[in-house]
Amino acid sequence: MRKSWLNAAVIIVFMLVLTACTSAKENEQGSPPSGVSSPDSTAKSSADPPDQTADDPLGKYDPPIEITSVRVVSSAYKYADGDDISNNVWTRAYENELGIKLKYNWVVNSDQGAQKTNLTISSGDIPQFMTVNATQMEQLAEAGLIMDLTDAYEKYASPLTKKIMTQDGTRALESAKIDGKLMGIPAATSSIDNAQMLWIRTDWLEKLNLPVPQTMDDVLKIAEAFTLQDPDGNNQDDTIGLVIHKDLTAGVADLEGFFNGYHAYPSIWIKDESGQLVYGNIQPEMKPALLKLQELYKAGYIDKEFGVKDVVKASEWMASGKAGLIFGTMSNSLWPLNESKSNDPNADWNPYPIVSIDEKPALTKQLGFAVNNYLVVKKGTPHPEAGIKMVNLYVEKGWGEKAEPGVYFVNNGIETFKYAPFTLWPYRKNMDQHINIAKVLQGQAEVSSLNAEDVDIFERIKTYRETGKDASNWGYDRVFGDKGSSYEIISNYIANNQLIRNEFAGNSTKTWIEKSESLKTLEQEAITRIIMGASIDEFDTFVDNWMKLGGSEITKEVNEWYSNEN
């Protein structure tokens, strides 16, 4: 299903790296990248304008055109001197290379993003181009406010854009079609980058003589020890066992991996014993996990104020050296754990596979395709192809023949890829980068076999291993390296059949469009109350209300789709 259990809007990131993060920090712009900077990358902010006409996928408008959009950003964004979200390497490239002047009607922080976007849509006064989720796209289409982009995509999407868009099959594009019309351009990402894992401060494990976790019981003992046994050695009761936040998921300090350990699979549709599809969030396997989280909260192993802290605020626990255990995704070493490493070079975070509460292996999700957002165009916009050309430029700067990831993706430690409002990521980009870089690190291939972006990452890893310095380079080693990296864990998940698929890969159903936001709020409130001490019976009440308030009809619609597909 195109929309997950909890809104992936923070980012984050994150989903990172694509890399990395994204960043888990703020998922509102899609997954993060893995592009990195080279030492002299600051000398160039954009290439000379291409010798193409405006009718070409990368052609320049002459005279320039002005387009309007809106942006949701994170307070964690960093900028080079003099830059901001409206003036940066991407906005300058749009104008210099495409003849597109980008103007934002409004810019708000991520904690206000959902409300501001919904208000804008409700008013009908939308900008010419904007990024929305699946439900919002269908609302706008139903209201007749956005354009059919079928012809514009066919004519203006570059060959590289079309190639990347279909690397994971046709599901991404199909997910953007309503009544056979392409109503949005998917911001597709890698489906394997969402796999859950544990990130643990290994230096704390060693100090407290704790083993690497093999079971969920081991994880619970680590959470207890990190809270009670003064792992930072300052003789104060100021550390926390397990970091979570009010949104419950976001790719950082995420609870999905914890639930997976109890064989509960929130955010996806799974088969029950009868072969019907059921929503993972309302299954009875959630209850034992919730009871254990309640125990951890009561014992003080979870932040008592998690219910009012977003992912950025919760990340301060890691950055300040007061926490050493989170569930998350492959890119967490790029953010926020790099900040922990920067503040304390002795902080040694490592990724580990999720673990099970019993002898049955824990599985983690693999989305059939991953599309968090869609670029839509207001009906009547003079140049609807302009947004597609901006996507073309994004993939060209990342993976084209003259790619410049050291300028447009990560420049001197600043994640410049986040400035681009419309993005697209290759399906296996990060996994393939890990495989290629690992071969060179192990002496099985030459540096000359790597592309420009891979060389950047390889050099960063090599520099870190030689000097032991630079938290940013350390973060890339933990993601792409050949020794205990997060992609090694994902590779093992694949080899051991530990990925579980979302069985529903259709468009959002009619009732989901109407009811998803209220059902999501209902769920978050119920889960938060239970963790904080409410009776576990509230889960059954939540499930009953979820079904009555639209869930039953959604389940019916999902199974009708599944029956037709199979």
Side-chain angles (χ1 to χ4, degrees):
M1 194 162 189
R2 292 179 315 184
K3 186 175 176 87
S4 66
W5 167 42
L6 295 174
N7 198 337
V10 147
I11 260 30
I12 356 164
V13 153
F14 226 53
M15 279 188 110
L16 219 341
V17 166
L18 184 76
T19 320
C21 324
T22 125
S23 201
K25 206 169 335 196
E26 44 282 346
N27 221 349
E28 71 269 9
Q29 294 301 319
S31 261
S34 57
V36 297
S37 63
S38 56
D40 60 350
S41 62
T42 55
K44 185 177 183 180
S45 63
S46 64
D48 292 335
D51 184 18
Q52 294 173 301
T53 69
D55 286 336
D56 293 322
L58 289 168
K60 183 176 181 179
Y61 296 102
D62 186 15
I65 64 170
E66 181 176 280
I67 68 171
T68 59
S69 188
V70 294
R71 275 304 294 268
V72 178
V73 300
S74 168
S75 57
Y77 280 17
K78 296 179 181 179
Y79 302 92
D81 290 345
D83 283 3
D84 56 35
I85 198 60
S86 298
N87 177 28
N88 53 68
V89 293
W90 281 105
T91 59
R92 292 190 288 270
Y94 297 146
E95 184 168 359
N96 293 338
E97 300 191 33
L98 299 179
I100 297 174
K101 296 180 178 180
L102 175 62
K103 175 185 176 183
Y104 290 123
N105 290 350
W106 52 255
V107 177
V108 299
N109 200 18
S110 55
D111 58 355
Q112 302 172 312
Q115 181 182 17
K116 184 67 173 179
T117 300
N118 287 331
L119 286 173
T120 298
I121 292 172
S122 298
S123 72
D125 185 18
I126 64 173
Q128 293 173 324
F129 300 84
M130 69 184 301
T131 298
V132 298
N133 61 35
T135 300
Q136 294 163 339
M137 179 179 68
E138 299 202 31
Q139 289 172 335
L140 288 166
E142 186 174 331
L145 292 174
I146 56 176
M147 300 178 67
D148 175 5
L149 299 175
T150 304
D151 293 339
Y153 177 81
E154 185 59 34
K155 179 177 180 180
Y156 288 97
S158 68
L160 182 56
T161 293
K162 290 179 178 178
K163 178 182 177 180
I164 291 174
M165 191 71 76
T166 56
Q167 280 181 330
D168 195 17
T170 61
R171 290 290 191 186
L173 281 173
E174 290 299 318
S175 73
K177 292 182 179 179
I178 301 174
D179 296 330
K181 299 176 181 179
L182 188 68
M183 302 307 295
I185 305 300
T189 65
S190 172
S191 63
I192 58 178
D193 291 344
N194 301 294
Q196 289 281 304
M197 58 192 67
L198 278 160
W199 286 89
I200 306 176
R201 279 196 61 166
T202 311
D203 59 315
W204 283 8
L205 286 181
E206 294 173 351
K207 180 178 181 178
L208 301 179
N209 294 315
L210 297 170
V212 169
Q214 303 296 322
T215 68
M216 183 61 77
D217 283 338
D218 292 338
V219 173
L220 300 176
K221 291 176 183 177
I222 291 171
E224 177 182 8
F226 282 4
T227 305
L228 302 179
Q229 295 185 26
D230 190 29
D232 61 351
N234 66 353
N235 296 316
Q236 296 183 37
D237 182 16
D238 59 355
T239 54
I240 200 75
L242 177 66
V243 180
I244 64 176
H245 53 84
K246 67 182 181 67
D247 297 318
L248 305 180
T249 63
V252 174
D254 205 315
L255 275 181
E256 285 191 13
F258 187 91
F259 286 121
N260 295 164
Y262 288 80
H263 314 301
Y265 301 102
S267 83
I268 63 174
W269 291 81
I270 57 178
K271 289 183 183 178
D272 66 9
E273 293 180 355
S274 70
Q276 294 290 298
L277 299 192
V278 293
Y279 200 36
N281 306 52
I282 63 172
Q283 302 311 303
E285 288 80 6
M286 294 281 289
K287 295 171 71 173
L290 287 171
L291 281 173
K292 184 56 64 174
L293 287 168
Q294 188 180 85
E295 288 181 25
L296 297 178
Y297 180 83
K298 183 177 181 180
Y301 306 160
I302 292 175
D303 181 9
K304 293 289 187 180
E305 298 180 352
F306 84 89
V308 295
K309 292 182 177 179
D310 63 14
V311 63
V312 175
K313 198 69 177 175
S315 72
E316 293 176 2
W317 278 103
M318 287 82 82
S320 65
K322 301 304 179 184
L325 171 64
I326 62 170
F327 286 86
T329 55
M330 55 88 190
S331 62
N332 290 174
S333 61
L334 295 171
W335 184 87
L337 304 183
N338 63 315
E339 295 182 358
S340 170
K341 185 71 172 177
S342 180
N343 292 332
D344 179 5
N346 294 319
D348 187 22
W349 291 87
N350 285 278
Y352 299 94
I354 59 172
V355 292
S356 173
I357 194 63
D358 53 31
E359 295 181 355
K360 181 181 176 182
L363 308 180
T364 181
K365 71 179 180 182
Q366 176 186 15
L367 303 180
F369 64 93
V371 179
N372 295 315
N373 298 297
Y374 299 81
L375 165 62
V376 297
V377 183
K378 182 179 181 179
K379 185 167 287 188
T381 296
H383 294 280
E385 76 283 352
I388 298 172
K389 296 174 92 171
M390 293 164 75
V391 173
N392 293 340
L393 188 64
Y394 188 84
V395 301
E396 185 65 26
K397 295 299 187 186
W399 309 283
E401 292 183 358
K402 298 181 180 180
E404 298 179 83
V407 175
Y408 294 97
F409 285 77
V410 180
N411 190 334
N412 287 335
I414 298 177
E415 295 171 320
T416 47
F417 75 93
K418 294 177 181 175
Y419 307 157
F422 314 130
T423 64
L424 176 64
W425 296 96
Y427 166 53
R428 275 186 58 96
K429 170 184 181 295
N430 296 317
M431 177 61 78
D432 288 342
Q433 281 186 306
H434 158 68
I435 293 171
N436 295 335
I437 292 168
K439 288 179 180 178
V440 177
L441 290 169
Q442 294 169 355
Q444 299 175 7
E446 298 296 327
V447 176
S448 59
S449 67
L450 303 177
N451 63 30
E453 185 181 10
D454 294 354
V455 170
D456 281 338
I457 298 174
F458 168 77
E459 292 295 342
R460 279 179 170 253
I461 294 173
K462 181 182 176 183
T463 298
Y464 171 70
R465 292 184 180 183
E466 291 174 349
T467 66
K469 298 179 180 180
D470 194 318
S472 177
N473 291 344
W474 166 85
Y476 280 94
D477 191 10
R478 287 297 184 270
V479 174
F480 295 102
D482 61 326
K483 300 176 182 178
S485 67
S486 55
Y487 271 102
E488 285 190 287
I489 290 173
I490 295 176
S491 294
N492 288 331
Y493 283 158
I494 295 172
N496 298 328
N497 295 317
Q498 284 185 261
L499 295 175
I500 185 170
R501 184 178 66 177
N502 184 3
E503 296 290 345
F504 179 62
N507 293 337
S508 294
T509 72
K510 180 178 182 297
T511 309
W512 181 263
I513 294 171
E514 297 173 351
K515 303 291 186 179
S516 61
E517 290 299 322
S518 59
L519 292 178
K520 181 185 72 176
T521 299
L522 181 74
E523 178 182 351
Q524 284 187 272
E525 290 177 349
I527 287 177
T528 300
R529 286 196 303 271
I530 292 170
I531 293 174
M532 290 184 170
S535 170
I536 193 62
D537 293 339
E538 283 207 19
F539 183 79
D540 297 324
T541 302
F542 150 68
V543 173
D544 288 342
N545 289 334
W546 191 89
M547 295 296 286
K548 291 175 182 176
L549 296 175
S552 179
E553 187 63 26
I554 292 171
T555 302
K556 178 182 176 182
E557 293 167 349
V558 166
N559 278 282
E560 287 175 351
W561 168 88
Y562 187 71
S563 178
N564 291 333
E565 288 290 311
N566 297 275

